[in-house]
Amino acid sequence: MKFQRLFSLIAILLVAVCMPLSALELGPVELHGSLSQGYIYSQHNNFIVDSTDGTADFREYGLNATIRPMDNVTIGGQIFGRDFGVAGNDEIFLDWLNIDYTWRNWLGFRLGKLKTPYGFYGETRDVDSLRTEILLPQGVYMEYIRGLFDSTWGGAVHGFVSSKTLGGFSYLAQGGVRDVDAQSSDMQRLLIGRGIHIDRSKSSPSFAIAFIWDTPVEGLRFGTTGSWSKKFISGTADSPFGSSTYESDIHDNRLLTGSVEYTLGHLTLAAEALSGSFDAIFDYASPYAPDMTLSAAYVGGYMKADYRFADWLAVAGGYSSFDFDQTVTVNGANGIPYGPSGLPYGENQDDWFLSIRFDITENLILKVEEHIISGISGTFAHENPDGTDKQWSMTMAKMSFVF
């Protein structure tokens, strides 16, 4: 079945060479879409998918529509689907859907399913044509937890304020409920390697802010985003004492980014930093399974340069780093302490990457990318049964049709 989907996607991409398209307009409705098929080959470690043997189990597709019934009102939405190993599984879902009312430049309101602000590029990461890279730098935009920070059902206020001497300031403040399904492949994959199975998930209110300063220096901008959320999950968990049901409160889930970007002609330089943390309390029903508190903190960042040599050729390269540390504290059960307290656990990844983009036609884009990696953050033991290697590499290619 997957081979049939793959052949269909390739056929559509080949036909697209002969179909120069811009946005489609159906009366007042404007349509944009994308369809991509990729290939991944990695040495030593599988990354999300069984990639050490090479795989085409890597694709994305989306369709969005917008309409402006009035000058200051925009209604739009997007459906999206992807397949990246066990992530996505070719399931099409509602990516975003909202109505935006701009009262003045400095004050607007947005309501619906909203993209969660996340660095400079998190809200547009589904739009492959906007960047040179296949993967956004993993030091900030970790692919393996992509679905956990994607969208929120709620509302937002936003605006833009300009100053002749200070430049322009954009802001956004968002509140709502984070959209993460208990059965989502991203969530299940993240915990299954630790023997934790999720049957039910409930999100509590979450909050996010974004601030961008377009400085008086042409092409230079700074930004920051921050978010806070909490979640309740329950299910079953494996332990040396057998399987047990559990309930877990994942709270104080914080994420903060700082960003800078400078564009000079065809050259763009960018750097971003990430800091995050969360605490999770696991309460087990079995008297033989000790309750557990997991506290985690992580930092990351990257630097990159992107240069467009011609209308048909762009190259980007840079360095990305990510460090994850967690402490597991085991509590007593029925007054009997189990195991050591404060057991440390950590992962890291340093990634040098190079991306080349070929704009074959107005609608057809080919990208190739190489990663030289040290560290195993983003890889999982249950996806690498023969063990992981600290030094590894990954080669990627991706063909996209966009309109």
Side-chain angles (χ1 to χ4, degrees), residues 87-135:
N89 291 322
D90 283 318
E91 295 180 1
I92 297 175
F93 62 94
L94 181 64
D95 193 20
W96 57 270
L97 176 67
N98 59 67
I99 179 170
D100 190 297
Y101 170 66
T102 302
W103 182 58
R104 297 287 189 272
N105 288 337
W106 55 271
L107 182 62
F109 305 90
R110 194 172 296 154
L111 186 66
K113 187 175 185 182
L114 315 176
K115 299 297 287 185
T116 304
Y118 182 10
F120 269 160
Y121 314 114
E123 292 179 83
T124 58
R125 73 185 302 170
D126 295 338
V127 188
D128 180 73
S129 60
L130 294 182
R131 63 180 184 269
T132 300
E133 308 98 311
I134 295 176
L135 293 182

Side-chain angles (χ1 to χ4, degrees), residues 341-358:
S341 178
L343 179 67
Y345 175 84
E347 294 177 348
N348 66 81
Q349 183 190 96
D350 296 302
D351 178 10
W352 292 91
F353 59 91
L354 178 67
S355 311
I356 305 175
R357 167 175 169 161
F358 302 93

